[in-house]
Amino acid sequence: MADGPVIENSGDAAGVLPRIYSHAPSSVSFKKLRKRLLRQTQEAIARYGMDKPRADGVPQNWLVCLSGGKDSYTLLAALMDLKWQGALKAELIACNLDQGQPGFPKHILPDYLNNLGVEHRIVTEDTYSIVTDKVPENKTYCSLCSRLRRGILYRVAREEKCDAIVLGHHRDDALETFMMNLFHGGRLASMPPKLVNDEGDLFVLRPLILCAEDDIEKFSTALKFPIIPCNLCGSQEGLQREAMKQMLNDWEQKRPGRREVMFRALQNVRSSHLADERIWDFENLVSKAGDAQ
């Protein structure tokens, strides 16, 4: 059963930012890293129209979903940084879903968010028992776990009158998903930077979609985020996503820059050069010679 709202009074971004960066190195390399991540996040928000006001001109409300991993901490830091700079209009509410995993350190995220002064809500919902009951031991939990989690986050977003749920998926997540769909799903699909849910009332946004995982790892380590490991999925061997990650790592090691080239391909689709008749009308194509007859 879900907790009731646990929302703390939020400070403005100017007050939050010094706490986020309290462990930040003073090195030139870190300053360049921070600047690069912010530039890429801002570019994604602008390119994919994420921060457009509502029809009445009021800024959107975003439910920023925190798992306790490096990606979601970086997401929150980047969005608060852009808020401080005046480059983001959306109002932010952080949200963590405690899924009832045994040994989950319940105090870490509330303590962290309270210390920052970020408006947030913690929701407890025992999806762990459902997933472990429904999924055989030799199968991966990810698909069912993700569906249950997403449904709960949609509900919370509606309760908080949010326009979007905001996730910390990055460039490498998108590439791994593409590879999984290619090799195991028989389709060309990945993670879009912006989509509308099936009900049509909420956006799903991924502002870190242009950011490299390696940069996020360095940023997270430098700021000493209190990482909470996921022991549910990570304890299972042979996950397809891990295999795709290793494949991409191998390619990148042999040919540096391969990931970036592949991600550019996801942004440069030529439907006429594929074979899906649902998106390209091959049957009714005519040549200039055909027109002349």
Side-chain angles (χ1 to χ4, degrees), residues 5-11 110 113-115 117-122:
V6 182
I7 298 180
E8 302 294 333
N9 293 327
S10 64
L113 293 169
N114 282 328
N115 180 60
V118 171
E119 184 174 355
H120 67 275
R121 176 168 171 181
I122 306 296

Side-chain angles (χ1 to χ4, degrees), residues 143-276:
S143 179
L144 178 57
C145 181
S146 178
R147 289 199 304 273
L148 292 172
R149 184 171 62 248
R150 190 69 59 86
I152 294 166
L153 292 173
Y154 285 157
R155 173 180 60 77
V156 174
R158 293 182 186 110
E159 291 172 357
E160 299 300 333
K161 296 180 171 51
C162 290
D163 304 277
I165 67 170
V166 188
L167 307 175
H169 296 127
H170 46 67
R171 181 199 69 181
D172 298 79
D173 287 324
L175 289 176
E176 291 159 16
T177 300
F178 173 77
M179 300 292 283
M180 288 172 63
N181 281 317
L182 179 66
F183 290 125
H184 300 285
R187 59 184 176 270
L188 297 181
S190 183
M191 290 178 169
K194 178 181 180 180
L195 62 84
V196 179
N197 67 339
D198 292 339
E199 291 80 1
D201 64 334
L202 289 168
F203 290 112
V204 178
L205 307 178
R206 296 181 171 97
L208 299 185
I209 199 69
L210 303 181
C211 301
E213 183 174 20
D214 185 56
D215 279 347
I216 291 172
E217 179 73 50
K218 292 175 183 175
F219 186 80
S220 174
T221 300
L223 294 185
K224 299 181 181 179
F225 292 139
I227 302 298
I228 303 173
C230 176
N231 297 318
L232 179 59
C233 303
S235 62
Q236 295 177 294
E237 296 180 356
L239 289 176
Q240 294 174 358
R241 183 171 293 276
E242 288 303 314
M244 297 303 103
K245 183 187 290 289
Q246 186 58 54
M247 184 183 298
L248 288 167
N249 286 341
D250 292 342
W251 289 352
E252 186 72 21
Q253 185 174 14
K254 293 175 182 176
R255 293 291 180 91
R258 180 63 58 87
R259 277 192 176 94
E260 187 58 35
V261 172
M262 290 180 66
F263 189 76
R264 286 206 304 271
L266 296 183
Q267 304 169 78
N268 187 25
V269 177
R270 299 186 181 183
S271 58
S272 62
H273 287 54
L274 298 174
D276 191 340

